[in-house]
Amino acid sequence: MGKSALVAYAASRARAAGLEVVRLVGLESEHDLAFSTLHQLVDPLAGYVARLRSHHAAVLEQALACRGGDRPSRLALSSAVLELVRRAAQECPFAVLAEDIHWIDVPSAEVLTFLLRRLSGGGPRFLLAARTGRTGPVDTRDVPQLNVATLEPGAARELLDLRHPELDESLRRRVLAEAQGNALALVELPAQLTPAQREGSQEPPAHLPFGPGLNDAFAEPVRRLDAGARMALLTAALTGERAGNLAGLRAAMAGAGQPWEEECLDPAAAGGVIHLDHAAGKLTFRHPLFRAAVLSTSPRAWHRVAHANLAGAQGGGPDWCAWHLAHAVEYPDESVAGGLVSAARRFLARGEAAQAAAAFRRAAQLSGEEPVRTRRMEQSALAAGRAGLIATTQQALAGGVPSSPEGRTAAGYVMLHRDGDADGVFRTLAPLLGARVRTSHEHDAAPLDPAALNEATLEEAFFLLLDAAIWTDRPALWTRLHSWLGHVSPAARICFETVNSPAATPQGTRRELERHSALLRPDSPAPAIEALVRASIALDCFGGHEGAWRTLLGSAFDNSRTVGLARCWDAYLRGDWERARTLSHEGRLRSEERLDHFRASLFDHVAALVAAGRGDEEALAQAHRRIDAFAAPRQVSLLASAVPETLARAAVGRGDFEEAYAQAAACTRPGRLPRAVPHAQRAFLDLIEAAVRTGRVHEARLHLEAGRTAGIGGVSVRHRLILGLCTALLADGASAGERYQEALALPGAAQWAWEHARGQLLYGEWLRRRRANTTARPHLTAAAAAFDRLGAAQWARRARGELRLTGVAVSAPEPGKTSAITPRELRIAELAAGGLSNKEIGKRLNISSHTAASHLYRVFPKLGITSRAALRDALRQAEDRAWPHNGGQAPSGRVSTAPSA
């Protein structure tokens, strides 16, 4: 689309401004190799490593395999790279230009994200380039973005006429139709044709080299090179475009045992395929498609030779060597496969499950004996399941349910996350836990296969069974799980106790969580760490441990499915609803892409809660449709109950308390708090307020007593706040005011923005009805402001209505006042207001429909609306405010809500 030309132009501008340029390139072939891209950043700055403090230098050398020792934590490594970059920038200002960041390996992407967050106010400049809609593991949410879109039809014709004015009219129309606004194709497609073909005197080929065939435009210059140069280019394409890669290329080519002269690359440089920087010892491809052409046109035998040469050079550590060596052999080789299995286990130990799955899969392909090959494919399937790659897991299992623990557990991931088959999970995995229990009691029994007693695999099986029990809400399943508690880890027991019944959790469980969290190490099993993450959400304390979880999980933190959902829930609970909505949207899309329909529905649940709180009926209905489509036919009862739970919340917001009571009672019967049903606590306040407002005081008192008996106030400050507000709602006379004051004054209560704002509103209403207007006003004002921050417009209106009754003249905040709308958001909003669907908007702007939806989600709260139907009027009002002295007409004919954007 032209991004490479823009990056090259930026590089020339940077150099003209006196900056040095550090180039990074993400490689598909190195996507599974940890720190392959980080090498490209650190190598040009190697001269500054000696000037760092000793512990920073040691961390860098350990991470990049320059010295032995334990692998440093992600935080330690990121801090060391940050210090290196800052030190280098102080002495020699530079810019970092990164191409194809969607292929950057995950650990390097985590460090790069850390730098982007910490260097926004100074230091080197960063320019990142990726394919449209794909940034891979690099978190660019807060980074200014420029989407290089397809050209409009008029601009496409102008470019084509400028570069190829001699084209025959019929060919011109054909090129425009097939290029579809792609600038690169408009320039390159006609250039591959003969002059006679371009002029129309000779028939053009049946298929122009566009789309999948566009690589042919770049492959031809590669094919003209001799075999030695092409082998060198293939080796360079596999090793990456890092500073000093010419030295690595020399070492790899020397391993071939054939004479090689660097001058053989000169024709490739002269032909515009590569650029040679001899001063930096670096080879780079002029365009990523040249690198792709080298890879696609090289025979498979050449690939094996190049991989063997790279493995022999031993420049990237044992995992690097094992990976290349495994791709250097064609036939089964157990010694090579065993080395790759060891690398896969190291990947797993670091939490890099996706890389481990790929390594196990390749090891299986190299295994000679069928049982060994089957076992390794099952290990690959299980690693893919851990990574949330459900489609990959299913493919690795070849559609069957294996007999091994690894294979059964992998099949359990497919059954639960893709199919929602809780009964199938129990049929498949319960025998594993049952065998463990029997083995522990029946010492004279015949010994099981040692693999059947693998602790990590059994732990995963337990958590899959726990999820199946939770979401189907079947007492019989809970009974069986409880009988196995003595045979799982302490972390698993803590998770079971808190998830099973957080309201009945003894206070000691929180202390146990703290104690076990302190005992964990970065090399602790990821399932144990994630078990405590789940427990921390049930106890409302994830935010206080997030830094510790990040340190423990290292590179696996941001890719952990458990952590992703936990962060989404925590954002909702703490009142950061915009972030919660964004995280839920991104999490759902990512889960659906991986066929993880179960987890996608869990993200939809958070989206439904946000929509219910904001009164966004359209978004709420969409989330409900998606939840019902998965949960209802599969009898995933707890997930299905999210629908009445959020309908009750929405009904309270609009003042329909009769409907709210009916929905809340369908969610949790008055006077009963069922176990393993966390929404019973979430709907607690909605049910009691709706019961009080509809005269069902007896039912409200029953439910309050049930909450007290269950001890929900012992779960967390948030639960104590909820219980205190409900107590105040049912209190008599002046004692109600005291109960409100006690609840709102709880230490830390304000961090739970939603419940605290509701408490301020309830207390303000109570005061106003007793004509204590002066005392009521601060509480009602605070409630209105908090609801505005949450985007809960209906609740804010309710607070302002009460405030007016106290004698204060108030008005709602202007829509669009909260933050500026970017030009891209504005364009998408205009198209949506014109009636285009997200898919049509995506096609018009050359973005995905998911990207269009994400932009609209951000626009709605900025305009102060909650549905697509209100877009047209909101945009018109924003235009009137922006240009009040010009009849509401912006000079450009467009809304200008953010002149500085």
Side-chain angles (χ1 to χ4, degrees), residues 179-197:
Q180 296 183 358
N182 185 298
L184 183 60
L186 291 166
V187 172
E188 295 291 342
L189 288 177
Q192 302 305 311
L193 304 175
T194 66
Q197 288 171 333

Side-chain angles (χ1 to χ4, degrees), residues 27-39 103-108 238-239 242 316 318-324 347 350 352 355:
L27 296 173
E28 182 178 4
S29 61
E30 296 184 9
H31 183 61
D32 294 330
L33 293 177
F35 300 122
S36 60
T37 307
L38 185 60
H39 272 282
W103 289 125
I104 289 179
D105 62 283
V106 172
S108 297
L238 292 173
T239 194
R242 57 176 64 92
D319 295 345
W320 172 282
C321 293
W323 181 266
H324 282 299
F347 286 139
R350 298 195 293 263
E352 298 162 358
Q355 293 93 321

Side-chain angles (χ1 to χ4, degrees), residues 426 433 459 461-470 474-506 509 512-513 527-528 530-536 538-539 675-678:
F426 262 81
L433 274 297
E459 200 91 327
F462 179 81
F463 286 122
L464 285 167
L465 289 165
L466 177 60
D467 277 332
I470 290 172
R474 300 181 193 177
L477 303 186
W478 281 104
T479 301
R480 297 186 68 182
L481 277 169
H482 192 272
S483 70
W484 294 326
L485 283 183
H487 307 279
V488 295
S489 70
R493 288 197 297 273
I494 291 172
C495 180
F496 175 88
E497 290 167 357
T498 54
V499 174
N500 178 23
S501 185
T505 297
T509 302
E512 283 292 290
L513 172 64
E530 293 184 342
L532 297 185
V533 170
R534 293 180 59 171
S536 71
L539 296 175
R675 298 171 67 86
V677 182

Side-chain angles (χ1 to χ4, degrees), residues 833-849:
L836 295 186
S837 67
N838 291 343
K839 185 175 182 181
E840 291 168 333
I841 294 171
K843 188 174 182 181
R844 175 77 64 88
L845 300 181
N846 193 39
I847 59 177
S848 70
S849 60

